[in-house]
């Protein structure tokens, strides 16, 4: 269509029945490129995926698949405009449903003065959609009627307050008003209202949000009316996003068992973290973010009930961060097959690309909620001067950690200091191992590759030893014995885990304080050396040149800050991402991944020790020397295309040929890469369109791993105990959210969702009927250029083939 609206033909593709037969049999759902022909009788050329096509040739990419019954129903509803009805069953609970809607506060409730009217309107007052302030009987306020309606006093003068957001529907009389002690006790009872979310098959992660404490008051603009923070908690795990009920006007809210506070996430990936964010609910404007934490699941064991208390921080990227309250959750992990879960963690070790995880929302104001929950206050994909400076400080921190760790390790090994405790004794095991390795290495240099692999595994084992010996049970990782037991028996021994509050708290505080003092002393010494060097330079007075005034100059960094620093920030981010992943492995932050690295390096070390490494290395070097350093390489130089390599003394003609060859190679490479990029974009656009249709217009990316500067650990008041069935109830009445991860290439469907076609058979039977119809139309003949275009429609009762006589319509 040109600028004035005239439709101009570009080209035509023609596929006969025999072509469709081959496609449906061999290349169903595969991407097929067809060259557009300008002539009406020309045969369409099918371009193979690996075939290189010249740039400038117009092509049309198509996919073919036999339609299923779900596809037919979806397209019928899409054409009729009733797509919401078709997707209602498939969608489950999304941000458009009751679970994820951000509740709107309705204020201005009229408080009656007559006693009977007050009693008759109690249900309206207790409606969670009409939150009112907590007002005690002793508070001096002009709203005495409100105080009478919201506060009760028993015979023993115990003050009871209204339970928010509302009473238990099964016990409204008993749970309408409770004392603070009763509310706290009831908040820790098992939940009765569950939501199952996600579409994974590796197990489930059960989460109950119990309470928040010491939240800041973000409703300061209405302090005259006594408003406080209206807190709710958002949880994001893989392809699911959920939200608790809102507790209005409380800085330390308690979430009751009958409210929306408990979620069970089906697990797709073994290293996926749980993102938890706390927000202040605003009805008319965007919700205010308070703080967040990220929970790594890799170091928690199945079959254990954890009650965890986490500090909330606005970000995990900056050096100095202050807590803005706490959140207490109850966590339990259920693994369908622990061996399968452990084996799946090898994907990161093998370099396999992780799935792209996204969550969709139907409300625009929910998008910042999801982004803050998974990313925090700062987005690493955008420029920020604070983030840039934090990256530099993080690099210096890693350098300091390497210097400290290597220095301490070398001194400990060389001086034979006892580092491994056996009973009451500290034995220098590492020094003995280093001595034995050194003796064998100087006598047998061919063992160098094997010993290098063993040295890396040894460092990992050293990090593992420090981690499992940490005084805080929340800083420890799972043991290697546990992982070996899972590989051999398929199940871990985690039923006897019992952690009491405050275990190792003083020792952990002392370790953190000692590390902080060591860093401060080091920085103070560096500052003193710099000052001494400056004073010595001034005392020497060797600089006798005359200083020239340069006048007023504009700082280019200040004038062009973002364009100059943002590329540097991106490079720093990429480099820090590698260092963070390396730190996760070395410190056993993701213990299953560190376990696989240790096992791989030990096996490689043993294999290199058994193999004739010296003989292999000798022959490898011999082949390289005799192949690439002989005088026959001048023949290779003559055979290669002219201008393939540049050299220092090349003339202008040779330089131009070399430059042309480089540009040509880059163009060819770009052509191949652009083709793959177009394919990825096609897939991304289709997934985006379907997810937008099914789940909402606003999309947030969910990182599959927690690769960041600071990790969140449970506070010392957290506890753990073996799980019993009495701790779990209400699962039969759960709501189900099937998750948002889609599969397919044409009409997408949810993961693990069975696609059927007709009652007589599956997709293969339906496909056979279509192909049989094509064969019956043109039996036993060669391909024809002028095959008529056809439409095949099949169902359980009939098959009909329609020939279109007017090809121009197509």
């Amino acid at each position: 269509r040109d600028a004035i609206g005239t439709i101009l033909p570009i080209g035509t593709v023609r596929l006969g029945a025999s072509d469709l037969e081959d496609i449906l049999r061999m290349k169903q759902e595969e991407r097929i490129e067809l060259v557009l022909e300008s002539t009406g009788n020309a045969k369409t050329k099918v371009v193979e995926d690996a075939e290189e096509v010249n740039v400038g040739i117009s092509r049309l990419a198509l996919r073919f698949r036999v339609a299923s019954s779900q596809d037919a129903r979806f397209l019928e509803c899409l054409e009729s405009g009733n797509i919401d009805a078709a997707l209602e069953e498939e969608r489950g609970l999304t941000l458009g449903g009751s679970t994820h809607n951000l509740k709107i506060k309705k204020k201005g409730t009229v408080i009656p003065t007559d006693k009977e009217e007050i009693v008759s309107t109690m249900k309206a007052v207790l409606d969670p959609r009409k939150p009112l302030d907590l007002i005690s009987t002793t508070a001096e306020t002009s709203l005495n009627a409100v105080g009478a309606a919201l506060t009760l006093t028993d015979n023993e003068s115990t003050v009871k307050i209204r339970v928010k957001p509302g009473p238990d529907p099964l016990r409204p009389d008993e749970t309408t008003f409770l004392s603070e002690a009763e509310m706290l006790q009831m908040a820790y009872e098992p939940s009765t209202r569950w939501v199952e979310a996600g579409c994974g098959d590796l197990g489930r992660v059960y989460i109950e949000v119990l309470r928040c404490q010491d939240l800041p008051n973000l409703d300061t603009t209405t302090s005259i009316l006594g408003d406080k923070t209206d807190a709710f908690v958002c949880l994001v795990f893989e392809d699911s996003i959920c939200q608790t009920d809102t507790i209005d006007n409380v800085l330390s809210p308690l979430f009751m068992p009958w409210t929306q506070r408990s979620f069970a996430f089906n697990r797709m990936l073994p290293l996926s973290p749980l993102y938890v964010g706390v927000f202040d609910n605003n009805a008319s404007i965007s919700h205010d973010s308070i703080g967040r934490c990220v929970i790594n699941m890799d170091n928690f064991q199945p079959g254990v009930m954890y009650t965890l208390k986490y500090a909330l921080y606005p970000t995990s990227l900056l050096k100095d961060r202050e807590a803005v309250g706490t959140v207490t959750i109850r966590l339990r992990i259920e693994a369908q097959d622990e061996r399968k879960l452990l084996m799946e963690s090898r994907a990161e070790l093998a370099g396999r690309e992780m799935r792209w995880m996204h969550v969709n929302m139907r409300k625009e104001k929910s998008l910042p909620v999801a982004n803050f929950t998974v990313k925090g206050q700062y987005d690493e994909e955008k420029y920020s001067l604070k983030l840039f400076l934090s990256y530099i400080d993080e690099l210096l921190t890693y350098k300091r950690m390497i210097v400290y760790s290597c220095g301490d390790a070398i001194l400990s090994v060389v001086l034979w200091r006892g580092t491994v405790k056996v009973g009451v004794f500290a034995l220098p095991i590492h020094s003995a191992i280093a001595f034995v390795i050194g003796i064998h290495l100087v006598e047998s240099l061919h063992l160098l590759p094997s010993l290098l692999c063993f040295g890396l595994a040894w460092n990992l084992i050293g990090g593992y030893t420090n981690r499992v010996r940490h005084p805080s049970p929340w800083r420890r990782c799972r043991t290697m014995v546990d992982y070996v037991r899972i590989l051999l028996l398929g199940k871990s021994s985690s039923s006897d885990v019992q952690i009491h509050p405050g275990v190792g708290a003083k020792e952990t505080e002392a370790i953190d304080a000692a590390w902080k003092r060591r860093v401060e002393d080091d920085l103070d010494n560096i500052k003193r050396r710099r000052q001494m060097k400056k004073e010595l330079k001034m005392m020497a007075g060797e600089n006798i040149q005359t200083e020239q005034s340069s006048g007023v100059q504009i700082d280019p960094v200040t004038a062009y800050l973002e364009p100059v620093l943002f590329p540097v920030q991106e490079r720093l981010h990429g480099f820090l991402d590698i260092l963070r992943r390396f730190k996760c492995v070395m410190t056993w932050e993701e213990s299953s991944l560190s376990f696989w690295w240790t096992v791989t390096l030990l096996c490689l070390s043993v294999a290199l020790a058994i193999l004739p490494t010296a003989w292999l290395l000798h022959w490898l070097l011999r082949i390289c020397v005799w192949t690439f350093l002989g005088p026959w390489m001048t023949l290779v130089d003559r055979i290669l295309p002219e201008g393939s390599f540049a050299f220092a003394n090349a003339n202008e003609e040779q330089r131009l040929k070399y430059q042309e060859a480089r540009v040509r190679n880059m163009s060819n490479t770009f052509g191949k890469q652009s083709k793959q990029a177009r394919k990825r974009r096609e897939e991304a656009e289709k997934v985006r369109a379907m997810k937008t249709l099914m789940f909402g217009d606003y999309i947030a990316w969910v990182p599959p791993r927690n690769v960041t500067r600071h990790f969140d650990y449970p506070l010392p008041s957290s506890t753990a105990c073996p799980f019993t069935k009495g701790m779990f109830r209400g699962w039969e009445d759960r709501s189900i959210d099937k998750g948002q991860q889609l599969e397919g290439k044409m009409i997408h469907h949810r993961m693990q969702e069975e696609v059927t076609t007709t009652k007589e058979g599956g997709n293969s039977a339906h496909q056979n009927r279509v192909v049989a119809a094509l064969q019956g139309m043109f039996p036993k003949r060669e391909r024809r250029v002028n095959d008529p275009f056809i439409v095949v429609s099949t169902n359980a009762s009939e098959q009909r083939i329609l020939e279109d006589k007017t090809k121009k319509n197509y």
Side-chain angles (χ1 to χ4, degrees), residues 4-5 76 91 145 151 176 199 215 218 228 240 333 365 373 383 437 543 613 617 657 679 703 721:
I4 62 175
E76 288 175 0
R91 185 186 303 134
T151 308
T176 298
C199 52
L215 300 179
L218 301 183
K228 297 180 181 178
S240 301
I333 295 178
K365 64 189 303 184
T373 302
Y383 171 74
I437 291 177
N543 186 12
T613 311
L617 183 61
K657 290 182 178 180
K679 291 181 181 180
C721 63

Side-chain angles (χ1 to χ4, degrees), residues 656-672:
L656 291 177
K657 290 182 178 180
Y658 172 68
Q659 181 64 17
E660 291 177 0
R662 289 186 62 187
V663 172
R664 186 166 53 253
N665 292 334
M666 287 190 295
S667 299
N668 294 335
T669 303
F670 176 77
K672 297 178 182 179

Side-chain angles (χ1 to χ4, degrees), residues 430 433-434 436-437 447-462 598 600-606 608-609:
H430 294 293
I433 294 175
V436 173
I437 291 177
L447 295 177
L448 180 60
S450 174
L451 294 178
L452 285 177
C453 293
F454 179 77
L456 294 174
W458 184 21
N459 287 329
L460 281 170
I461 294 175
T598 305
T600 302
L601 289 171
L602 288 176
C603 294
L604 187 60
S605 175
V606 173
L608 292 175

